[in-house]
Amino acid sequence: MKNRFTIFSLLLAFCLLGFTQQNLPYAWLAGNWTGDGFRGTSEELWSQPDADGTMMGTYRHHKGDGSLNFYEFMVMDSTGLRLKHFNPDMTGWETKEDFVHFKAIEFTADKIVLKGLVFERKSDTEMEIRLDLKMKDGSKRTEVFKMKRK
């Protein structure tokens, strides 16, 4: 009985490790993406998932005139996306302890649905990002980013 439990535990661990590294529903995001958004140029770079299913990413935005607008450092895992914003001089928008958290709602083969943010794979080389924004006047709008894999 003890041998069966050990074998089952090992098989489960190998299956989970394989799922985590290779078959995560958000692993398609890995790579370098460029596109539009906020009337400028957006760039995202996502790592491959590590052993626990975490991916790290960076974002850079240039204004329409080509000047650097801001950076983001991001972490994606099964709980959703956490990020921090930085000015061009690397001063942070959020306090040292704070970050923005887009909580996970659903992961499918072609869509990452988070509260207020959606990544949708349109093809192997194209994705659309939809970000819900609340404006200063209380109104809401959605910023759409059309991204292509480099």
Side-chain angles (χ1 to χ4, degrees):
M1 182 72 170
K2 186 176 179 182
N3 283 343
R4 285 185 184 175
F5 179 75
T6 302
I7 291 170
F8 174 75
S9 296
L10 287 171
L11 285 173
L12 180 61
F14 285 127
C15 289
L16 289 175
L17 182 62
F19 177 79
T20 300
Q21 292 176 333
Q22 302 297 325
N23 302 319
L24 284 171
Y26 49 88
W28 62 264
L29 193 57
N32 193 351
W33 300 87
T34 61
D36 57 8
F38 295 124
R39 289 180 256 163
T41 303
S42 296
E43 298 176 73
E44 284 195 6
L45 178 61
W46 285 96
S47 71
Q48 292 292 327
D50 64 14
D52 70 356
T54 301
M55 296 174 70
M56 68 175 176
T58 57
Y59 173 88
R60 176 170 59 181
H61 183 264
H62 288 92
K63 297 177 188 176
D65 66 6
S67 63
L68 184 60
N69 194 13
F70 67 94
Y71 297 103
E72 294 175 348
F73 179 77
M74 306 176 287
V75 175
M76 175 86 72
D77 62 19
S78 63
T79 68
L81 174 69
R82 295 179 308 279
L83 67 84
K84 284 186 169 271
H85 296 89
F86 298 91
N87 292 310
D89 65 0
M90 292 303 294
T91 54
W93 294 12
E94 294 82 18
T95 64
K96 184 177 179 181
E97 297 80 20
D98 290 333
F99 54 87
V100 177
H101 188 193
F102 294 95
K103 294 182 180 178
I105 295 174
E106 178 183 27
F107 296 105
T108 68
D110 293 317
K111 198 181 282 189
I112 301 164
V113 181
L114 310 169
K115 185 173 181 179
L117 180 65
V118 175
F119 295 82
E120 185 173 359
R121 178 170 45 179
K122 299 295 189 176
S123 73
D124 286 342
T125 60
E126 296 177 308
M127 79 164 155
E128 183 176 281
I129 302 171
R130 295 183 297 279
L131 172 64
D132 294 338
L133 298 168
K134 186 174 181 182
M135 309 311 288
K136 290 180 183 179
D137 66 3
S139 64
K140 295 179 183 179
R141 73 177 184 87
T142 300
E143 183 73 21
V144 178
F145 303 79
K146 304 281 187 182
M147 307 292 283
K148 292 186 185 233
R149 189 182 298 273
K150 276 183 137 178

